[in-house]
Amino acid sequence: MEHQPTKNGNLGKVEIAPEVLQVISGLAATGVKGVIGLSGSVVENFNQMIGRKSLRQGITVNLDESTTIEVSLVVEYGVSIPEVGKQVQESIKSAVETMTGIEVDQVMVRVEGIKFPQPEKTKDGESNPKVR
């Protein structure tokens, strides 16, 4: 696990682990209207199905010569995917830079799925489709 130093001073240095950037990015991405969730590996997706949410799933942080964040999303059916993608990029860049002081060079967004609205259930438990 690499750490990204952010400030040196008389008291020592402050390091921020890439996992922290993943969590910040996950919170920023899921806060964008139209984003249903993050998409990760099969194990991560299974954990999410059984109720274990991870704000790090589907997010990769590279801290080489430049800071690059890759995020995989599931979006709501009917939204403008390019617009949601742009809002996610701006939200992640702003949140990471504001909270950590680390300059983000690139935010790459990959839409890996679309979630369709679920049919509404009636009192007796049967589906009541809106479209016939």
Side-chain angles (χ1 to χ4, degrees), residues 5 7 20 23 29 40 53-54 67 71 100 112 115-116 118 126:
K7 186 174 182 175
V20 173
V23 172
K53 289 194 175 186
S54 171
T67 301
V71 59
T100 67
E112 291 196 355
K115 179 138 178 151
F116 294 94
Q118 298 296 316
E126 291 190 25

Side-chain angles (χ1 to χ4, degrees), residues 70-91:
E70 298 176 39
V71 59
S72 299
L73 305 173
V74 176
V75 298
E76 180 181 340
Y77 176 78
V79 299
S80 168
I81 293 174
E83 184 59 34
V84 169
K86 183 177 180 190
Q87 289 175 6
V88 167
Q89 288 173 318
E90 292 169 353
S91 180

Side-chain angles (χ1 to χ4, degrees), residues 2 4 15 21 26 29 32 39 52-53 55 57 61 69 101 107-109 112 115-117 124 126 130 132:
E2 287 184 32
Q4 175 68 27
E15 294 181 344
L21 301 182
V32 173
S39 177
R52 295 182 192 159
K53 289 194 175 186
L55 292 171
Q57 93 171 15
V61 175
I69 299 171
V107 178
M108 293 184 276
V109 176
E112 291 196 355
K115 179 138 178 151
F116 294 94
D124 59 4
E126 291 190 25
K130 291 184 177 182
R132 295 184 188 252

